[in-house]
Structures are given as structure tokens and as C-alpha cells.
Amino acid sequence: MDAAGETPVGALPGEGNPEMDLSHRFSKTELTLLYEEVLYTIRHRLGKPEHHHVVDSQELYAYVQKAFGMDEEEHNVIMQQVKELESPIFCLKATVKEAKGILGKDVSGFSDPYCLLGIKTKSQELANLDHKKRMKAVVKDLIPEDQIHRTQVISQTLSPVWDETFILEFEDAETASFHLDMWDSDVVESVRHKLGELTDLHGLKRIFKDARKDKGQDDFLGNVVLHLKDLHCWNDQWYQLEPRTETYPNRGQCHLQFLLTHKKRATTSSRTQPSYIVHRHLLQQLVSYEILQHQAGSIAWDGELSRHASTVLYLHATQKDLSDFHQVIVRWLAYSKLYQSLEFNSNCLLHQITSIEYQWVQERLRPEQKAEVAESFQSLLTYGVSLIRRYRIIFPLSVPRSTERLQSLLRVLVQMCKTKAFHELCTPSPNLPYMVSTALKSGTTEWFHMKKQHLKPMVKSMEENGKALSRLLLEVLGDLQQCQKIWNRFFISTLKLNLFSIAYLELERLVAEHVQEQLREVNSSMSKHTAESLFQLYMNLQELYRMKDFLPKRDGPLALNNFHQWFKEGVPQWLQKAYTIALERAQRAVQMDQLTPFGEHNKHSTSTVDLSTCYAQIVKTWQQLNWPDPEEAFMIMVKLVEDMCRIALMYCRLIKGRAEALSLHKQNEGEEANRLCIVVNNIKQLRLLILKLPSQLDWVQLEQRMGAVIDRQQIQHTLHNQLDSTISCLDHEIQEVVQALATKLEKGIARHIQELSSSDDTREPEDSIVPLMKFLESELQYLNEHLVQENFKSLLALLWHHTLAVLSAAMGQQIPSAQCYMKLRCALKSLELCFHAEGCGLPLPMLHTAVFQSLETRLDLCSATSRKLIQKYFSNRIQQQLDASSEKYGAVTIKALYCPSEQKLHVEVLNAVNLIPLDSNGSSDPFVQLTLEPRHEFPEVVARATQCKRNELHPLFDEAFDFLIPAEKCRQEGACLLLTVFDYDVLGANDLEGEAFFPLCHLPGLNTDEDPSDAARVPQTRLPLTHPKPTDEILQLLESRKGDKEAQAFVKLRKQRAKQSKETE
């Protein structure tokens, strides 16, 4: 595979891809030499194994044999050659870093430390020293002088820092040991100079001690002795300085680093190639094998080496004395190269980049190494950008972890381009965002043309072209949605690139060009089927155009602006298709409808469900069109509303016809009523659907769009009037069906009321209305179960008006009988409760019409007893007096109070004023008659009268009267003191000046247990005089009761009183 290639998902490298880059693989000769190198490394292994490494060398031999693909014979041959090769020179690379806490041997309290170090072999041991003494012996006594190494002297310190490295050769790690002595360097100084450095008593003691030493003799500070067989290949730690005597056991610590390496390796690779190149080849070979070992494929490998590979590479790097920096460079070169042929988790590349950045020192690389690193940067950059260009194919979302792989690649490229190494070696530094942006554009164009070619129809026709365009648009939409929802955030977070904007602007332009090119052939002769096939294409283009809202910014118009004009010729056919489908579905729904509720809690039949779906589909068509041009959109709306109204009226006609057809086959009055209930419910449901159209079709938004194009009144006239007209037609249809249901009940109601009127007067009214209430309860319960609430209430309203009319008619036909009226009154009250149904039926304001109130009042009067009527009469006269606005006939003034202790009514008639002159002399002879009314409440109380005052229109009486009456009688309805003012005539009947009524319920003292304390304080009451009306409803009703003597006597008395009046009101 070239720099732009990649291993197909699930395929092994080299399989099915002849162009795969196999540069990571070696020729047979190169592989043999490399195998020799790795066997030599294992055979001459040094150091104590690390805890995470493989200890058994045979395991390592078996591993590398598999990794290099060697058969047993080849392995044995090369192994024999390795055994015959000369062994390398074993070296201990020792670095004396620093020390701390050492003894101060000088008079100043400090020392001038230096170290002597070397390797002692078994043959160099002193035969005359026992083991303990040998361990405490100094280096110069154990090791030949030419093999002893010495550090610099660090003056006057207890924490010296040397950081000096020495290469110490040895032959056998099993018998060799490392020795280090630390000494305080002493030079000959005068006593005067030493005294000048004296700081304390301990310093003086040191002067005396130095005086006993040989001049120039160094002081021993401590030593470190280590067996090489106990060392790992790499060691870095602090070691305790051991004493020769127990005088000062705590002598401080020394920081040492050790590396066990080889010199003069006998392998061909080591002799002919630089160490880092050999190590890189070995790394490439082992990593390739590691990747291929993963059963899930190369992509599943996350860069983690096995214990065997880690052990081999660690041994080789240490034996070749490769620095950490060069190992990092080697790993980068190997991994970046392998990534381009055996794609794996690029996070391991990110780790190598980070390591290079932390350890980068350009001067530590030779020119050829710098060139190699620079080439690896450029190669990976080119390869990575090529993968990004084809990210849709390379990182398909159908493959697990594709998003992680792409995100990791982006991070690798970004971090690589940010490193100091990249900027120093790759000049001028490439612009990564620009390279990626360019690659994304070209990759998007390539992907679009590939999809277009793949979806090209086999048969070239207008319909097939339309379908192919729709499928292509779906692919584009799906890709853009993935860009916007998934991929975009990765490019923004790493490169600050908006992938969606790049892809959208490119695809939108390509789609616009391609669709316009195809529609040029279609528009000239668009057929019905072609227009229908293009509807999906229009919706897909609409969705594509709406995605522009996700663009952060854009310059200039898009290529898809006004794309709706490309489809203008197809709109009428789209609308006609929607209407035809809805109409046919509604017709089929009615034909299949059995006019029974389709659910337990529903009162409609199945056809309303289908009708609702038809309307919803038309509304969806409008929403899908979303026509941008306001004027054209208004015309589309008018057509849709007209079609839906036509469907509604057609449905009413068909559903009523369906009910009639079913009634012809099933002659059952109950089922016929049930079907009528379903019909009216269905039409009511249809009415609700129509009323929802303005909100579903969003007329408000349409009116706002057309504000500058079409006058608001025109919209109102065209759309709202059309809808209102349809609603009126539906209301008329509902009213007709409800009226038909009401007519069926009206006959039964009229019959039961007629039977009620003619029933025996001896029966109680409550018993007489039972048949009527049972009939209504049965019928109304049935209708309530089968009608929706609104229709049921409409039916109740019709029945209520009819019932009131029937009751009124029955009342007019009756022989005046209180018992008969009581039955009708009881029926009215029961019907009111029945139709109200505790708030579930008609509201009280709808029940209490003028007809009801008049009928109720009339029945209350007609059904009352004569005595109740008489009481009502006096109550009316009292109210008439209160309503009087003038004193046309004068007034009378009295004082009245009640004494509870004596049950006595005390009345004082004070005067009368402004009486009407009734005598020929222009005056009158007035007197006042006092009676307690009604007489049946006060039968034993006789009338009283004042004296007559001659020729007075303002008489002063000042007379008092007492009446013995119980308090409860005063509280009865209509109980009053009647004061009748007469003009006394000697020869004829007295003339009536007027009547005044004082209600006894208002008597002072009536509602207390004690008598008024001061009768003088009782207020005066001025009562206007009135005359009886010439006609009175109550008197007429009483007069009609011929067999009631009490009623007749009362009427006679009141008529007589009326005759005594010389004026009428």
C-alpha cells in the first residue's frame, strides 16, 4: 500500500492488497543477520532479570523463532553459528552521581571527598585475608592499579556531586564484584592555617589526630561492595557507605547508576551497522509479529508489547548501550513506519511523540539520523492526511471504535506538528489545518462522485432518475448528519476545523449542480408519475437546505437558494394526489363502518379514525411542502382547505346515507337511535377536526409571512369564511340529527305529561310523576351513553324547551284545581332536577328561561291553598306599598310596638295627611279602621276604629289601641296591620280614602323577651295610602275556586273595598 493506503478492515497485512507497503519486511539475508543478532543478545544475557521480564532463555529462543518465522533447522544452524562467535567484552557502565551525609574529616567540619572504584575478579582476591577482612579491604589493595578509576576531588562538602561515568570491563558476572571507596583528600597544611579554620572543640581534636598521622595520608570515608550477579541490567539507587571499623557506623550514602553492556559484539549486524538501526529493525520485526498475533486484526493492537518482546528489546538496548533518547527515536521511526502498513492504535505514536518532545536535543543526532526523523514526520503527515481525506471509508461507523481511531490520529498529527523536533527538522513547517481542510474538500468530492456512480439507475427514465436522485440525497443527508453529530467535534477540538461546514458547502454545491442537470430533462415533459417520484426528492432537498442553520457563518448565497422553483410544475399534481388519496380513504372508511363505537370508552365509529388520518396526512403534506414563496404558499393553502372542506361535506352525506342503509336492513327502533347517536358524534368529531385546522396549518405564521403581499381582509375572506361556512354546514347537519333524536322523545314526554294531567286527583303528586321520570331516566341514560357530551347537551336543550311548552299547554287545558296544579308543579321541579343532573346536565341559567320562570310562578300560585294565596296577596300589597314613589292618596302616621310579656300589640294612630277631598264641600270626614290580616290568622280579633274628624284633610287622631295576639302569629307570611282610611257618609256607604299596611314582622319588641323600656322612644312610621288594583291575579285565581267559601268571601270583601274607591290606579 502506498502512503495513502491502509489495511482493509478485518484483513491481514499483505492479503488481498498487492500495493501494500512491505518495506517493514526484510530479505532472507537481512532477516538471517537480524536473527543472528537477537540470538547473540539472548545467549550473552547479562544482569538479574527484571520482575516483569521473561527469565527462561529457552522461552525467549522459542518466541524469537516464531517472530522471525524460522523453522527448526534454520534456527539450529544460526544458533550454532552464534555459539561459534567470539563472546563480547562485558562492561559495567558505572556512574557516580553524588553522595550525602558523609563524615567531615577536616578541622572545618567538612571533607574533600573523592572515589576509587573498580571490578575485582575472583583471581584478584588476597589469599592471606579472610572473607570479613576482604570485604573491608580498600580498592588499592584488591585491584591492580591500572584497573582502578578515580573521580575528581570535591572540596569542602558533605554532599558532593560528581556525575562521572566509567566503563569497567569484566569476564564473568558470577564471580566479579564492584568496589567503591570514598576518601577524604588531605594535603600538607601548616598548623597556623589549620587553626585559622578551627570552629569548635571537635576541630581541635582533629588537629591533634592529624598530628599523629603520616603527612599527606587520606582519610577513609566508607565503601560500597556489590556482586555483579545481583545487579539488573539497569540500576539506579542510593547505597549505604560501609565502615572499616565500628567507630563511625553511619557514614552516609552514595548515589550510583549501573548499566551492563557489551563491547566488540561479534555479530555481522553489530559490526556493519549503527546500533540504533539494528535496534530499529529488531523492533519492527517484533512489533509486526505482535500485531499479526492479535486475532481481532491489526487495528485491535493497542501498542502493548508482550513480556517476551519487551525482554528481548530491553536486553538488546542495554547491551548496545542505546540511550533513552535514541531508544525513543528508534521507537518513533519503527512505529510511524509500521503504522502506514499495519494500522494499529495510534495512541502509541502519541506516546512516542511526547517522549521525543521531552527529551529532544537536536545536537545528539547525526545528520543522517536527523534526515531520517524528518522523513518519518513528512511520511506520517502525508499518510495521515490521506486517511483523513478518505475517513468515510477508512473509519466507517459500522466498525467498532472508528471514532476513537480517527480522534487519536488527529491528535497524533496535531501533537507531531507542535513538537520542537518537527519545527526544527521540517522547514518550512506545513500548515496542518490547511492540508486537512483541502483533503476534506477533495475527499468529500470523491465520495459524492463515487456514490453518484454507484446509485446510477440501470434503466434511464425520468422516474428512475428521480428515485436515484432521492437515494443519493439520503446518502448525503446521512453523511452530513454524521459529520454534524459525531465527527465535527473531533476536528473542532483538535484542529479548530468545522468539518460540517466544509462538507456541507461542498456537498450542497455538488447536489445543486447534479439535481439541476437532471431536472432540465424532466421539467420539459413532467408526467404524473414523474412528479410523484420527485416529491421525495423535494423533501430531501428541503432537509438538506435546512441543515444550513448549523453553519457557523457563510459568505454569499447557497447554490440551493430558491430550489423550490425547480419543482413548481409538480405542485398541482402533488396536491391532487393528496386529495385523491384522502377522498378514497374516507369513502372506503364509510363503506366499512358499522356505526358502532370502536372502543369501550369511545362514542365514535371507525370512520372518524380514518378521517382523522386523512386530514393529518394532508396537514403533513403542507408541512412537508413548506413552500417559501408567500403568495404561492397562500394559493396552496386555499386549495388544501377547499379540499378538506369538500371531504368533510362529502363525509356527512355518506355517513347519513350509511345509517339509512343499515336501518333498512335492521328494523329496530333502539338500534336506529343508536346509529343516529353515532352519526351525530362522528359529525361532531369532524367539526373538531375542522376547527383545529388553523392551528395545525399555522395560519398565524402564514398571515405574518403574507403581510406585505396579501391584504389581511382577503385572507380572512378567503380562508376563514371558507372554514366558517363548512362549520355552519356541519352544525346544521348535527342539529338535524339531534332534532330527529329529540322528536322521537318528544312524543313520549307529551304522552306522559298528558297522562299526568288526567290522573286521579286523590293520588299524591310524587306518585303521579313516577312514570314520566322513569321514562326520561331510561331514555336520557341511553342517549348519554351513546352521545358525546356536547351533542347530549344540545339534545337536552331541545327536549327542555319542548317539555316547557308541553307543560304550559297542559296547564292551560286544566280545570281550575289546586291538586292538578300541584302535580304539574311537582313535575316541573322534578324535570328541572333531572335536566340539571347535579351539574352534569344543562346549567341552571339555560334551564331558567323566561318561559320556565313564568310557568314556575304560575304553578306556584295555582297549586297553593286559598289561605296561602291570601297571605301572598297581603305580602304583595306590602311590597306594592314599599315600591310606591309618591303619596298620591295621602299618608297615615302611627306608632306600633309589641309587648312580649303581655302578648299585646300596642298601636297609636297619630294622624293622617294630604287626604283626598271626597265630599262636595272640598273636604272629607276621615276616620281610620284597624284590622289584623289575614283574617284566618286572627279570627278572634275584631276590627277597631278611630273617631271621625269632620272636614279635615289633615286629621289628628292621637288614639291608642291594644290587640292581644301571640308573637308567632305576627311572624306569619303576610301578617299585617291594615289601616283603612274612610270618608264618613251619613246617607250612603263610606268612601275609601286609602289603605296602609304595616307588616307585623317588623314590630319593635317582637324579637326580644323583654318589653320596650320606653314606649315614647318607639319611632313613628309614616305609611303611604294606596288603593287596590282593579285586576289582581291572585284574586282572579281565588275567584275561580267556586267551591271554596273562604276564598269566595275574601274575594267578595276585596271587591267591595275596590268599589269604595272613587279612583283607580
Side-chain angles (χ1 to χ4, degrees), residues 965-990:
I965 56 175
E968 61 270 13
K969 292 291 185 179
C970 298
R971 298 188 181 96
Q972 296 295 322
E973 180 186 6
C976 62
L977 172 64
L978 173 59
L979 300 107
T980 309
V981 181
F982 287 106
D983 172 38
Y984 178 75
D985 283 339
V986 178
L987 299 178
N990 296 328

Side-chain angles (χ1 to χ4, degrees), residues 748-924:
I749 293 173
R751 183 179 72 254
H752 281 84
I753 291 177
Q754 184 63 36
E755 292 174 356
L756 172 68
S757 302
S758 59
S759 63
D760 189 358
D761 287 349
T762 59
R763 294 179 64 187
E764 290 295 326
E766 290 77 6
D767 297 334
S768 301
I769 65 169
V770 169
L772 170 62
M773 300 314 296
K774 284 187 176 180
F775 169 76
L776 280 176
E777 181 181 359
S778 172
E779 295 296 329
L780 293 181
Q781 182 179 357
Y782 173 83
L783 292 172
N784 186 34
E785 292 173 355
H786 290 80
L787 286 174
V788 295
Q789 194 64 21
E790 193 171 349
N791 292 337
F792 179 66
K793 289 186 177 181
S794 298
L795 177 64
L796 286 181
L798 289 174
L799 291 176
W800 180 246
H801 293 306
H802 171 74
T803 302
L804 293 179
V806 173
L807 284 173
S808 298
M811 186 175 173
Q813 298 171 1
Q814 298 304 313
I815 301 172
S817 165
Q819 188 66 21
C820 179
Y821 288 127
M822 287 177 67
K823 290 187 291 184
L824 293 177
R825 179 179 177 278
C826 184
L828 180 65
K829 291 298 182 182
S830 298
L831 289 170
E832 179 189 11
L833 294 174
C834 177
F835 278 79
H836 181 57
E838 297 181 347
C840 298
L842 294 178
L844 291 176
M846 287 187 66
L847 293 171
H848 295 167
T849 62
V851 176
F852 169 82
Q853 293 174 358
S854 174
L855 183 60
E856 182 182 39
T857 303
R858 181 68 177 165
L859 285 174
D860 284 346
L861 290 175
C862 294
S863 60
T865 64
S866 297
R867 290 190 173 185
K868 282 290 183 182
L869 288 176
I870 293 170
Q871 290 176 312
K872 182 68 175 175
Y873 173 81
F874 284 108
S875 294
N876 289 349
R877 292 300 303 272
I878 292 170
Q879 188 61 43
Q880 177 189 348
Q881 178 179 278
L882 292 174
D883 295 338
S885 59
S886 66
E887 296 179 351
K888 178 180 179 182
Y889 305 106
V892 62
T893 303
I894 67 170
K895 290 175 69 175
L897 62 91
Y898 186 77
C899 300
S901 62
E902 302 178 27
Q903 292 193 333
K904 180 177 68 175
L905 170 63
H906 178 76
V907 180
E908 295 180 14
V909 181
L910 302 178
N911 59 58
V913 295
N914 300 326
L915 298 178
I916 295 188
L918 297 178
D919 291 343
S920 57
N921 60 1
S923 185
S924 291

Side-chain angles (χ1 to χ4, degrees), residues 472-486:
L472 179 60
L473 258 293
L474 288 175
E475 293 282 350
V476 169
L477 290 170
D479 180 73
L480 288 175
Q481 288 170 357
Q482 290 181 1
C483 288
Q484 194 261 329
K485 295 178 180 178
I486 300 174

Side-chain angles (χ1 to χ4, degrees), residues 1016-1028:
R1017 289 192 172 187
V1018 175
Q1020 297 180 3
T1021 303
R1022 180 169 174 145
L1023 303 171
L1025 297 176
T1026 61
H1027 281 213

Side-chain angles (χ1 to χ4, degrees), residues 32-315:
T32 300
L33 293 178
L34 192 59
Y35 193 61
E36 178 191 59
E37 176 77 14
V38 72
L39 292 181
Y40 190 85
T41 299
I42 298 171
R43 176 171 173 77
H44 298 290
R45 179 177 186 172
L46 288 174
K48 183 179 178 180
E50 301 287 344
H51 70 278
H52 58 281
H53 284 171
V54 177
V55 177
D56 188 359
S57 296
Q58 294 303 318
E59 279 190 46
L60 295 180
Y61 287 136
Y63 170 76
V64 295
Q65 183 179 348
K66 294 178 183 177
F68 280 76
M70 296 292 179
D71 58 29
E72 191 66 28
E73 183 180 352
E74 289 175 316
H75 169 74
N76 291 334
V77 169
I78 300 174
M79 189 65 193
Q80 184 60 37
Q81 295 174 358
V82 169
K83 291 179 180 179
E84 294 173 359
L85 291 176
E86 185 179 351
S87 298
I89 297 175
F90 301 139
C91 300
L92 176 65
K93 188 176 182 180
T95 301
V96 182
K97 302 292 288 184
E98 58 184 320
K100 62 183 179 181
I102 64 175
L103 296 177
K105 291 290 187 175
D106 294 341
V107 294
S108 62
F110 294 100
S111 293
D112 304 315
Y114 69 92
C115 296
L116 297 178
L117 60 152
I119 291 182
K120 179 182 70 65
T121 61
K122 189 173 184 180
S123 61
Q124 296 170 338
E125 293 183 359
L126 298 178
N128 58 341
L129 296 176
D130 58 21
H131 175 73
K132 186 174 182 180
K133 291 184 177 180
R134 287 199 304 270
M135 295 302 294
K136 295 182 178 293
V138 295
V139 170
K140 57 188 176 182
D141 294 336
L142 295 174
I143 303 171
E145 185 176 354
D146 61 342
Q147 297 178 21
I148 296 175
H149 299 270
R150 177 186 176 115
T151 67
Q152 294 181 351
V153 176
I154 308 298
S155 300
Q156 295 299 294
T157 180
L158 298 180
S159 302
V161 177
W162 290 285
D163 202 12
E164 295 182 43
T165 301
F166 305 92
I167 305 296
L168 311 177
E169 298 180 2
F170 62 92
E171 293 181 359
D172 186 3
E174 291 295 321
T175 60
S177 59
F178 170 80
H179 288 252
L180 177 142
D181 292 346
M182 189 177 297
W183 298 85
D184 171 37
S185 177
D186 278 340
V187 294
V188 179
E189 293 179 338
S190 65
V191 174
R192 182 185 299 273
H193 180 77
K194 292 181 179 179
L195 288 174
E197 295 179 352
L198 186 64
T199 59
D200 55 15
L201 183 61
H202 292 288
L204 185 59
K205 292 180 179 179
R206 293 190 191 101
I207 292 177
F208 294 146
K209 186 177 180 181
D210 288 344
R212 293 195 298 269
K213 291 194 313 180
D214 295 336
K215 291 184 177 179
Q217 182 179 350
D218 293 342
D219 292 320
F220 180 77
L221 296 177
N223 71 344
V224 175
V225 179
L226 300 172
H227 293 289
L228 297 191
K229 64 180 181 180
D230 296 330
L231 293 179
H232 295 286
C233 285
W234 166 254
N235 295 263
D236 184 350
Q237 69 181 75
W238 288 85
Y239 294 93
Q240 195 73 31
L241 290 170
E242 299 293 338
R244 285 191 298 178
T245 66
E246 301 302 326
T247 308
Y248 296 103
N250 187 9
R251 292 175 173 265
Q253 293 176 300
C254 184
H255 183 193
L256 301 175
Q257 287 180 353
F258 298 109
L259 179 67
L260 294 171
T261 65
H262 289 176
K263 285 173 60 177
K264 296 184 180 180
R265 289 167 64 92
T267 61
T268 304
S269 297
S270 294
R271 288 186 287 105
T272 60
Q273 291 180 305
S275 296
Y276 85 94
I277 291 181
V278 177
H279 189 71
R280 191 186 78 190
H281 291 168
L282 177 59
L283 178 63
Q284 286 180 200
Q285 183 64 29
L286 296 183
V287 169
S288 300
Y289 174 72
E290 291 281 319
I291 294 173
L292 297 177
Q293 283 299 102
H294 282 70
Q295 295 180 355
S298 60
I299 296 174
W301 188 66
D302 58 0
E304 196 68 34
L305 290 172
S306 66
R307 291 172 60 244
H308 297 80
S310 298
T311 303
V312 171
L313 292 170
Y314 177 77
L315 293 175

Side-chain angles (χ1 to χ4, degrees), residues 630-647:
E631 192 170 358
E632 294 173 357
F634 177 69
M635 299 308 297
I636 293 173
M637 177 64 75
V638 171
K639 177 68 169 67
L640 290 176
V641 173
E642 179 184 344
D643 289 345
M644 285 190 277
C645 290
R646 287 165 57 191
I647 291 173

Side-chain angles (χ1 to χ4, degrees), residues 726-746:
T726 303
I727 292 296
S728 298
C729 292
L730 295 180
D731 288 340
H732 178 71
E733 295 287 349
I734 291 172
Q735 196 65 26
E736 278 191 355
V737 181
V738 171
Q739 185 62 58
L741 286 169
T743 302
K744 294 179 179 295
L745 289 178
E746 286 172 359

